């Protein structure tokens, strides 16, 4: 039981490129949900869905402004900043922020799963990517902030 | 020590490499910010600063996580 190293879900990526899935990377709702290090069964190469399998349990509990499912990115954007790079970022907000939260002990988040809350087919609520924080993060009656990388966003492709 | 290569054998992304250069012996900084204790916490794999924790002294603890971006693929 542990949060896998950060990954983009390969099966969802395949569905996207093959046309089996048609996400709109700008207008769809993408949410970031916090999961603990007790998550089990993640698979970067199989279809994963929020609320199913590995993502059916071990989400951080509701606390403060954090509620199951997490919070939507403000302005999801697929962006090409230069030749040879495409990245997925939140162009509207640098971070996801939850206030008045307590995540302690086994409820401390180890990573965040970003999922599509708009797509209904071929699989509803697909996991897009999961980012391992590299450590468990405990907060007490405080503010939990997940800040995205300013240069590379959530994930990026370099093809040249 | 962080890994230079991903599990699939590809070189890690520049951000991760940069963090590795900081070295595993990097000591997390702790400082006082107007009576609030600020502490860096290091990413266990890369050694980069994974989060900054803010202890207010009244029991409240905030945390800011720096989500490291994921590099997909690369030049084979």
């Amino acid at each position: 039981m542990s949060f896998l190293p950060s990954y983009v879900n390969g099966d969802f990526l395949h569905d996207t490129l093959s046309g089996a899935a048609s996400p709109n990377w700008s207008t769809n709702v993408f949410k970031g949900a916090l999961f603990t290090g007790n998550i089990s069964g993640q698979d970067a190469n199989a279809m994963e869905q929020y609320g199913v399998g590995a993502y059916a349990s071990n989400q951080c509990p509701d606390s403060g402004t954090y509620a199951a499912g997490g919070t939507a990115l403000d302005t999801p954007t697929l962006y090409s900043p230069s030749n040879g790079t495409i990245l997925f970022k939140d162009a509207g907000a640098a971070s996801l922020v939850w206030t008045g939260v307590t995540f302690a002990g086994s409820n401390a988040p180890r990573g965040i799963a970003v999922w599509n809350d708009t797509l209904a087919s071929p699989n509803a609520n697909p996991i897009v990517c999961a980012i391992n924080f590299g450590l468990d993060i405990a907060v007490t009656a405080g503010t939990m902030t997940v800040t995205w990388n300013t240069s590379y966003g959530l994930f990026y492709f370099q093809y040249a | 020590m962080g890994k230079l290569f991903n599990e699939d054998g590809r070189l890690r992304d520049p951000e991760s490499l940069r963090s590795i250069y900081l070295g595993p012996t990097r000591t997390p900084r702790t400082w006082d910010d107007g009576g609030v204790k600020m502490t860096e916490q290091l990413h266990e794999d890369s050694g980069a600063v994974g989060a900054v924790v803010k202890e207010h002294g009244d029991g409240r603890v905030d945390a800011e996580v720096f989500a490291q971006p994921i590099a997909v693929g690369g030049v084979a």
Side-chain angles (χ1 to χ4, degrees):
Chain A
M1 294 193 300
S2 61
F3 205 105
L4 283 183
S6 301
Y7 65 91
V8 174
N9 184 271
D11 203 77
F12 177 65
L13 197 56
H14 176 270
D15 280 356
T16 299
L17 294 173
S18 70
S22 302
N24 185 312
W25 295 90
S26 298
T27 61
N28 285 177
V29 174
F30 293 87
K31 289 184 174 178
L34 299 170
F35 284 83
T36 75
N38 288 323
I39 192 169
S40 179
Q42 289 171 299
D43 188 340
N45 297 306
M47 174 49 61
E48 296 180 302
Q49 296 162 269
Y50 174 76
V52 176
Y55 291 98
S57 55
N58 295 301
Q59 182 173 179
C60 293
D62 291 0
S63 180
T65 60
Y66 185 83
T71 298
L73 304 187
D74 184 86
T75 310
T77 304
L78 203 58
Y79 173 64
S80 183
S82 62
N83 287 339
T85 302
I86 297 175
L87 60 87
F88 180 59
K89 66 183 230 177
D90 187 344
S95 310
L96 291 181
V97 180
W98 297 280
T99 58
V101 300
T102 295
F103 296 135
S106 62
N107 287 329
R110 174 68 187 206
I112 189 167
V114 176
W115 58 286
N116 185 308
D117 192 21
T118 302
L119 277 182
S121 65
N123 299 285
N125 306 331
I127 300 295
V128 178
C129 66
I131 297 178
N132 188 322
F133 294 152
L135 70 166
D136 293 337
I137 305 293
V139 293
T140 305
T143 300
M144 172 81 192
T145 304
V146 176
T147 296
W148 311 118
N149 184 278
T150 54
S151 299
Y152 294 98
L154 282 68
F155 61 82
Y156 64 99
F157 303 83
Q158 287 185 317
Y159 51 88
Chain B
M1 181 65 184
K3 300 171 184 173
L4 290 176
F5 297 91
N6 290 320
E7 291 180 354
D8 62 1
R10 296 179 185 277
L11 198 63
R12 295 182 63 136
D13 64 277
E15 282 290 313
S16 293
L17 290 175
R18 191 176 305 122
S19 68
I20 287 171
Y21 292 147
L22 293 174
T25 59
R26 185 181 188 284
T27 301
R29 291 186 307 146
T30 297
W31 69 99
D32 183 273
D33 183 9
V36 177
K37 182 182 178 184
M38 309 287 284
T39 305
E40 291 178 338
Q41 294 188 342
L42 301 186
H43 192 291
E44 291 173 359
D45 182 40
S46 69
V49 175
V52 172
V53 172
K54 180 188 292 187
E55 298 175 63
H56 292 274
D58 59 0
R60 289 181 298 128
V61 179
D62 303 333
E64 179 174 8
V65 179
F66 303 104
Q68 294 196 343
I70 307 165
V72 182
V75 179

